[in-house]
Structure formats: structure tokens, C-alpha cells
Coordinates of all heavy atoms in Angstrom, one line a residue:
M1 N 0.8 -1.2 0.0 CA 0.0 0.0 0.0 C 0.9 1.2 0.0 O 2.0 1.2 0.6 CB -0.9 0.0 1.2 CG -1.9 -1.1 1.1 SD -3.3 -1.0 2.3 CE -2.7 -0.4 3.8
R2 N 0.4 2.3 -0.6 CA 1.1 3.5 -0.8 C 0.5 4.7 0.0 O -0.7 4.8 0.1 CB 1.2 4.0 -2.2 CG 2.0 3.1 -3.1 CD 2.2 3.6 -4.5 NE 3.0 4.8 -4.5 CZ 2.9 5.8 -5.4 NH1 2.0 5.7 -6.3 NH2 3.7 6.8 -5.3
A3 N 1.3 5.5 0.6 CA 0.9 6.6 1.4 C 1.6 7.9 0.9 O 2.8 7.8 0.6 CB 1.1 6.4 2.9
L4 N 0.9 9.0 1.0 CA 1.5 10.3 0.7 C 1.5 11.1 2.0 O 0.4 11.3 2.6 CB 0.7 11.0 -0.4 CG 1.2 12.5 -0.7 CD1 2.6 12.5 -1.2 CD2 0.2 13.1 -1.8
A5 N 2.7 11.5 2.5 CA 2.8 12.3 3.7 C 3.2 13.7 3.2 O 4.2 13.9 2.7 CB 3.9 11.7 4.6
V6 N 2.3 14.7 3.5 CA 2.5 16.0 3.1 C 2.7 16.9 4.3 O 1.7 17.1 5.1 CB 1.2 16.5 2.3 CG1 1.5 17.9 1.7 CG2 0.9 15.6 1.2
E7 N 3.9 17.3 4.5 CA 4.3 18.1 5.7 C 5.5 18.9 5.4 O 6.5 18.4 4.8 CB 4.5 17.2 6.9 CG 5.1 17.8 8.1 CD 4.2 18.9 8.7 OE1 3.1 18.6 9.1 OE2 4.7 20.0 8.8
D8 N 5.5 20.2 5.7 CA 6.6 21.1 5.4 C 7.7 21.1 6.6 O 8.8 21.5 6.3 CB 6.2 22.5 5.1 CG 5.4 23.2 6.2 OD1 4.6 22.5 6.8 OD2 5.6 24.4 6.4
D9 N 7.4 20.6 7.7 CA 8.3 20.6 8.8 C 9.1 19.2 8.7 O 8.4 18.1 8.8 CB 7.6 20.7 10.2 CG 8.5 20.6 11.4 OD1 9.2 19.6 11.6 OD2 8.6 21.6 12.1
E10 N 10.4 19.3 8.5 CA 11.1 18.1 8.2 C 11.1 17.0 9.3 O 10.9 15.8 9.1 CB 12.6 18.5 7.9 CG 13.5 17.3 7.7 CD 13.1 16.4 6.5 OE1 12.5 17.0 5.5 OE2 13.4 15.2 6.5
R11 N 11.1 17.5 10.6 CA 11.1 16.6 11.7 C 9.8 15.8 11.7 O 9.7 14.6 11.9 CB 11.4 17.3 13.0 CG 11.4 16.4 14.2 CD 11.5 17.1 15.5 NE 10.5 18.1 15.7 CZ 9.2 17.8 16.1 NH1 8.9 16.5 16.4 NH2 8.3 18.7 16.3
I12 N 8.7 16.6 11.6 CA 7.4 15.9 11.6 C 7.2 15.0 10.4 O 6.7 13.9 10.6 CB 6.3 17.0 11.7 CG1 6.3 17.8 13.0 CG2 4.9 16.4 11.5 CD1 5.4 19.0 13.0
A13 N 7.6 15.4 9.3 CA 7.5 14.6 8.0 C 8.3 13.3 8.2 O 7.8 12.2 7.8 CB 8.0 15.4 6.8
R14 N 9.5 13.4 8.8 CA 10.3 12.2 9.0 C 9.6 11.2 10.0 O 9.5 10.0 9.8 CB 11.6 12.6 9.5 CG 12.6 11.5 9.6 CD 14.0 11.9 10.1 NE 14.0 12.8 11.3 CZ 14.3 14.1 11.3 NH1 14.7 14.7 10.2 NH2 14.2 14.7 12.4
D15 N 9.0 11.8 11.1 CA 8.3 11.0 12.1 C 7.0 10.3 11.5 O 6.7 9.1 11.7 CB 7.9 11.8 13.3 CG 9.2 12.2 14.1 OD1 10.3 11.6 13.9 OD2 9.0 13.1 15.0
V16 N 6.3 11.1 10.7 CA 5.1 10.6 10.1 C 5.4 9.4 9.1 O 4.8 8.4 9.1 CB 4.2 11.7 9.4 CG1 3.1 11.1 8.5 CG2 3.7 12.6 10.4
A17 N 6.4 9.7 8.3 CA 6.8 8.7 7.3 C 7.3 7.4 8.0 O 7.0 6.3 7.6 CB 7.9 9.3 6.4
A18 N 8.1 7.6 9.1 CA 8.6 6.4 9.8 C 7.4 5.6 10.4 O 7.4 4.3 10.3 CB 9.5 6.8 10.9
A19 N 6.4 6.3 10.9 CA 5.2 5.6 11.5 C 4.5 4.8 10.4 O 4.0 3.7 10.6 CB 4.3 6.6 12.2
L20 N 4.3 5.5 9.3 CA 3.6 4.9 8.2 C 4.4 3.7 7.6 O 3.8 2.6 7.3 CB 3.3 5.9 7.0 CG 2.3 7.0 7.4 CD1 2.3 8.0 6.3 CD2 0.9 6.4 7.6
E21 N 5.7 3.8 7.5 CA 6.5 2.7 7.0 C 6.4 1.5 8.0 O 6.4 0.4 7.6 CB 7.9 3.2 6.8 CG 8.1 4.0 5.6 CD 9.4 4.8 5.5 OE1 10.2 4.8 6.5 OE2 9.6 5.4 4.4
G22 N 6.4 1.9 9.3 CA 6.3 0.8 10.3 C 4.9 0.1 10.2 O 4.8 -1.1 10.7
A23 N 3.9 0.7 9.7 CA 2.6 0.1 9.5 C 2.5 -0.6 8.2 O 1.4 -1.1 7.8 CB 1.5 1.2 9.6
G24 N 3.6 -0.6 7.4 CA 3.6 -1.4 6.2 C 3.4 -0.6 4.9 O 3.3 -1.1 3.8
F25 N 3.3 0.8 5.0 CA 3.1 1.6 3.8 C 4.5 1.9 3.1 O 5.5 2.1 3.8 CB 2.5 2.9 4.2 CG 1.0 2.8 4.5 CD1 0.6 2.6 5.8 CD2 0.0 2.9 3.5 CE1 -0.7 2.5 6.1 CE2 -1.3 2.8 3.8 CZ -1.7 2.6 5.1
R26 N 4.4 2.1 1.8 CA 5.5 2.7 1.1 C 5.2 4.2 1.0 O 4.1 4.5 0.6 CB 5.6 2.1 -0.4 CG 6.1 0.7 -0.4 CD 6.2 0.1 -1.8 NE 4.8 0.1 -2.4 CZ 4.5 0.5 -3.6 NH1 5.4 1.0 -4.4 NH2 3.2 0.4 -4.0
V27 N 6.0 5.0 1.5 CA 5.7 6.4 1.7 C 6.4 7.3 0.7 O 7.6 7.3 0.5 CB 6.1 6.9 3.1 CG1 5.7 8.3 3.3 CG2 5.4 6.0 4.1
E28 N 5.6 8.2 0.1 CA 6.1 9.3 -0.8 C 5.9 10.6 0.1 O 4.9 10.7 0.8 CB 5.3 9.4 -2.1 CG 5.7 10.4 -3.0 CD 6.9 10.0 -3.9 OE1 7.1 8.8 -4.1 OE2 7.6 10.9 -4.4
R29 N 6.8 11.5 0.0 CA 6.7 12.7 0.8 C 6.6 13.9 -0.1 O 7.2 14.0 -1.2 CB 7.8 12.9 1.8 CG 7.8 11.9 2.9 CD 9.0 11.8 3.8 NE 9.5 13.1 4.1 CZ 10.6 13.3 4.8 NH1 11.3 12.3 5.2 NH2 11.0 14.5 5.1
A30 N 5.9 14.9 0.4 CA 5.8 16.2 -0.3 C 5.9 17.3 0.8 O 5.3 17.2 1.9 CB 4.5 16.4 -1.1
A31 N 6.6 18.4 0.5 CA 6.8 19.5 1.5 C 6.0 20.7 1.2 O 6.1 21.7 1.9 CB 8.3 19.8 1.6
D32 N 5.2 20.8 0.1 CA 4.4 21.9 -0.2 C 3.1 21.5 -0.9 O 3.0 20.4 -1.4 CB 5.2 22.9 -1.1 CG 5.5 22.4 -2.5 OD1 4.6 22.4 -3.3 OD2 6.7 22.0 -2.7
G33 N 2.2 22.4 -1.0 CA 0.9 22.0 -1.5 C 0.8 21.8 -3.0 O 0.1 20.9 -3.4
E34 N 1.6 22.5 -3.8 CA 1.6 22.3 -5.2 C 2.2 20.9 -5.6 O 1.6 20.2 -6.4 CB 2.4 23.4 -5.9 CG 1.6 24.7 -6.0 CD 2.3 25.7 -6.8 OE1 3.4 25.5 -7.4 OE2 1.8 26.9 -6.8
T35 N 3.2 20.5 -4.9 CA 3.8 19.2 -5.1 C 2.8 18.1 -4.7 O 2.6 17.1 -5.4 CB 5.1 19.0 -4.4 OG1 6.0 20.0 -4.8 CG2 5.7 17.6 -4.6
A36 N 2.2 18.3 -3.5 CA 1.2 17.3 -3.1 C 0.0 17.2 -4.0 O -0.4 16.1 -4.4 CB 0.6 17.8 -1.7
W37 N -0.5 18.3 -4.5 CA -1.6 18.3 -5.5 C -1.2 17.5 -6.7 O -1.9 16.6 -7.2 CB -2.0 19.7 -5.9 CG -3.0 19.6 -7.0 CD1 -4.3 19.3 -6.9 CD2 -2.7 19.8 -8.4 NE1 -4.9 19.3 -8.2 CE2 -3.9 19.5 -9.1 CE3 -1.6 20.1 -9.1 CZ2 -4.0 19.6 -10.5 CZ3 -1.6 20.1 -10.5 CH2 -2.8 19.9 -11.1
F38 N 0.0 17.8 -7.3 CA 0.5 17.1 -8.5 C 0.6 15.6 -8.2 O 0.1 14.8 -9.1 CB 1.8 17.7 -8.9 CG 2.4 17.0 -10.1 CD1 1.9 17.2 -11.4 CD2 3.4 16.0 -10.0 CE1 2.4 16.5 -12.5 CE2 3.9 15.3 -11.0 CZ 3.4 15.6 -12.3
L39 N 1.2 15.2 -7.1 CA 1.4 13.8 -6.9 C 0.0 13.1 -6.7 O -0.2 12.0 -7.2 CB 2.2 13.6 -5.6 CG 3.7 13.9 -5.8 CD1 4.4 13.8 -4.4 CD2 4.4 13.0 -6.8
G40 N -0.9 13.7 -6.0 CA -2.2 13.1 -5.7 C -3.0 13.1 -7.0 O -3.9 12.2 -7.1
D41 N -2.8 14.0 -7.9 CA -3.5 14.1 -9.2 C -3.0 13.1 -10.2 O -3.8 12.6 -11.1 CB -3.5 15.5 -9.7 CG -4.6 15.7 -10.7 OD1 -5.7 15.4 -10.5 OD2 -4.2 16.3 -11.8
T42 N -1.7 12.7 -10.1 CA -1.1 11.9 -11.1 C -0.8 10.5 -10.7 O -0.4 9.6 -11.5 CB 0.2 12.6 -11.7 OG1 1.1 12.7 -10.6 CG2 -0.2 13.9 -12.3
E43 N -0.8 10.2 -9.4 CA -0.5 8.9 -8.9 C -1.6 8.4 -7.9 O -2.4 9.2 -7.4 CB 0.8 8.9 -8.1 CG 2.0 9.4 -9.0 CD 3.3 9.3 -8.3 OE1 3.5 8.4 -7.5 OE2 4.2 10.2 -8.6
D44 N -1.6 7.1 -7.7 CA -2.6 6.5 -6.8 C -2.0 6.3 -5.4 O -0.9 5.7 -5.3 CB -3.1 5.2 -7.4 CG -3.9 5.3 -8.6 OD1 -4.6 6.4 -8.7 OD2 -3.9 4.5 -9.5
F45 N -2.7 6.7 -4.4 CA -2.3 6.5 -3.0 C -3.5 5.9 -2.3 O -4.7 6.2 -2.5 CB -1.9 7.8 -2.4 CG -0.6 8.4 -2.9 CD1 -0.7 9.4 -3.9 CD2 0.6 8.0 -2.5 CE1 0.5 9.9 -4.5 CE2 1.8 8.5 -3.0 CZ 1.7 9.4 -4.0
D46 N -3.2 5.0 -1.3 CA -4.2 4.4 -0.5 C -4.5 5.3 0.7 O -5.6 5.2 1.3 CB -3.7 3.1 0.0 CG -3.5 2.1 -1.1 OD1 -4.4 1.8 -1.8 OD2 -2.3 1.8 -1.4
L47 N -3.6 6.2 1.1 CA -3.7 7.0 2.3 C -3.0 8.3 2.1 O -1.9 8.3 1.5 CB -3.1 6.3 3.5 CG -3.0 7.1 4.8 CD1 -4.4 7.3 5.4 CD2 -2.1 6.4 5.8
V48 N -3.5 9.4 2.5 CA -2.8 10.7 2.5 C -2.9 11.3 3.8 O -4.0 11.4 4.4 CB -3.5 11.7 1.4 CG1 -2.8 13.0 1.5 CG2 -3.4 11.1 0.0
V49 N -1.8 11.7 4.4 CA -1.7 12.5 5.6 C -1.3 13.9 5.2 O -0.2 14.1 4.7 CB -0.7 11.9 6.6 CG1 -0.6 12.8 7.8 CG2 -1.0 10.5 6.9
L50 N -2.3 14.9 5.3 CA -2.1 16.2 4.7 C -2.1 17.3 5.8 O -3.1 17.5 6.5 CB -3.3 16.4 3.7 CG -3.4 17.7 3.0 CD1 -2.1 17.9 2.1 CD2 -4.6 17.7 2.1
D51 N -1.0 18.0 5.9 CA -0.9 19.2 6.7 C -1.8 20.3 6.1 O -1.8 20.4 4.9 CB 0.5 19.6 6.8 CG 0.8 20.8 7.7 OD1 -0.1 21.1 8.5 OD2 1.9 21.4 7.6
L52 N -2.5 21.1 6.9 CA -3.3 22.2 6.3 C -2.5 23.4 6.1 O -2.8 24.2 5.1 CB -4.4 22.5 7.3 CG -5.5 21.4 7.5 CD1 -6.6 21.8 8.4 CD2 -6.0 20.9 6.2
G53 N -1.5 23.7 6.9 CA -0.6 24.9 6.7 C 0.6 24.6 5.9 O 1.7 24.3 6.5
L54 N 0.5 24.7 4.6 CA 1.6 24.4 3.7 C 2.0 25.6 2.9 O 1.2 26.4 2.6 CB 1.2 23.3 2.7 CG 0.9 21.9 3.3 CD1 0.2 21.0 2.3 CD2 2.2 21.2 3.8
P55 N 3.3 25.6 2.5 CA 3.7 26.7 1.5 C 3.1 26.4 0.1 O 2.9 25.2 -0.2 CB 5.2 26.6 1.5 CG 5.6 25.3 2.1 CD 4.4 24.8 2.9
R56 N 3.0 27.4 -0.7 CA 2.6 27.4 -2.1 C 1.2 27.0 -2.4 O 0.6 27.4 -3.4 CB 3.6 26.5 -2.9 CG 5.0 26.9 -2.8 CD 6.0 26.1 -3.6 NE 5.7 26.1 -5.0 CZ 6.2 25.3 -5.8 NH1 7.0 24.3 -5.4 NH2 5.9 25.4 -7.1
M57 N 0.5 26.3 -1.5 CA -0.9 26.0 -1.6 C -1.3 25.3 -0.3 O -0.7 24.3 0.1 CB -1.2 25.1 -2.8 CG -2.7 24.8 -2.9 SD -3.1 23.5 -4.2 CE -2.2 24.1 -5.6
D58 N -2.3 25.8 0.4 CA -2.7 25.2 1.7 C -3.4 23.9 1.5 O -3.9 23.6 0.4 CB -3.5 26.2 2.5 CG -4.9 26.5 1.9 OD1 -5.7 25.6 2.0 OD2 -5.0 27.6 1.3
G59 N -3.4 23.1 2.6 CA -4.0 21.8 2.5 C -5.5 21.7 2.0 O -5.9 20.9 1.3
L60 N -6.3 22.7 2.5 CA -7.7 22.7 2.1 C -7.8 23.0 0.6 O -8.7 22.4 -0.1 CB -8.5 23.8 2.9 CG -8.7 23.4 4.3 CD1 -9.4 24.5 5.0 CD2 -9.5 22.1 4.5
S61 N -6.9 23.8 0.0 CA -7.0 24.1 -1.4 C -6.5 22.8 -2.2 O -7.1 22.6 -3.3 CB -6.0 25.3 -1.8 OG -6.5 26.5 -1.2
V62 N -5.6 22.1 -1.7 CA -5.2 20.8 -2.3 C -6.4 19.9 -2.4 O -6.7 19.3 -3.4 CB -4.0 20.2 -1.5 CG1 -3.8 18.8 -2.0 CG2 -2.8 21.0 -1.6
L63 N -7.1 19.8 -1.2 CA -8.3 18.9 -1.2 C -9.4 19.4 -2.2 O -9.9 18.5 -2.9 CB -8.9 18.9 0.2 CG -8.2 18.1 1.2 CD1 -8.8 18.3 2.6 CD2 -8.1 16.6 0.8
K64 N -9.6 20.6 -2.3 CA -10.6 21.2 -3.2 C -10.2 20.9 -4.7 O -11.1 20.5 -5.5 CB -10.8 22.7 -3.0 CG -11.5 23.0 -1.8 CD -11.6 24.5 -1.6 CE -12.2 24.8 -0.2 NZ -12.2 26.3 0.1
R65 N -8.9 21.0 -5.0 CA -8.5 20.7 -6.4 C -8.5 19.3 -6.7 O -8.7 18.9 -7.9 CB -7.1 21.3 -6.6 CG -7.1 22.8 -6.6 CD -5.8 23.4 -6.9 NE -5.4 23.2 -8.3 CZ -4.3 23.6 -8.9 NH1 -3.4 24.3 -8.1 NH2 -4.0 23.3 -10.1
W66 N -8.3 18.4 -5.7 CA -8.4 16.9 -6.0 C -9.8 16.6 -6.3 O -10.2 15.7 -7.0 CB -7.9 16.1 -4.8 CG -6.4 16.0 -4.7 CD1 -5.5 16.2 -5.8 CD2 -5.6 15.7 -3.6 NE1 -4.2 16.0 -5.3 CE2 -4.3 15.7 -4.0 CE3 -6.0 15.3 -2.3 CZ2 -3.3 15.4 -3.1 CZ3 -5.0 15.0 -1.4 CH2 -3.6 15.0 -1.8

């Protein structure tokens, strides 16, 4: 299963990715809203962990565009 972890704080992103990997997910990471939107629009994920306060496009805007 694949997960997308979207978080701009490197420490939090690393911890979230580690937890997801520990649960058996292959994790892709994005640090801004535009990258997250692109990845979610062009690839299939089983789970997305999405921060709301992101640079370049906030998390709610990402959800609306998806």
C-alpha cells in the first residue's frame, strides 16, 4: 500500500513517514501544497496525511483541487 505524507516541517515529516512505514506503507513525501496536489492528481495512493498549513498551496486548497 502507498501513502503520501504532506508536511513542510522536516522533523514531523520524518516521524510521520517512519510511522507509516512501520505500519507497512511505502511512503512518498511532499513538502508543499503544489507538489502534493500534483502527486495526488497523477499517482494512486491508499492514504494521504495532509498538513493544512503548507507553503505554495494550503491543504484545504489541495483537497478542493483533488
Side-chain angles (χ1 to χ4, degrees):
M1 293 194 324
R2 291 185 70 208
L4 176 60
V6 186
E7 173 58 61
D8 59 320
D9 181 296
E10 178 61 29
R11 183 186 56 79
I12 295 171
R14 188 176 50 247
D15 290 347
V16 168
L20 291 170
E21 288 167 350
F25 286 91
R26 288 178 297 134
V27 180
E28 181 84 23
R29 288 171 45 184
D32 66 76
E34 286 185 6
T35 302
W37 171 79
F38 176 79
L39 289 172
D41 197 49
T42 59
E43 300 185 33
D44 292 326
F45 293 95
D46 300 293
L47 172 74
V48 176
V49 178
L50 179 62
D51 183 16
L52 296 180
L54 295 167
R56 300 179 65 193
M57 182 188 309
D58 66 77
L60 290 177
S61 295
V62 172
L63 286 175
K64 289 177 186 175
R65 288 184 71 178
W66 280 340

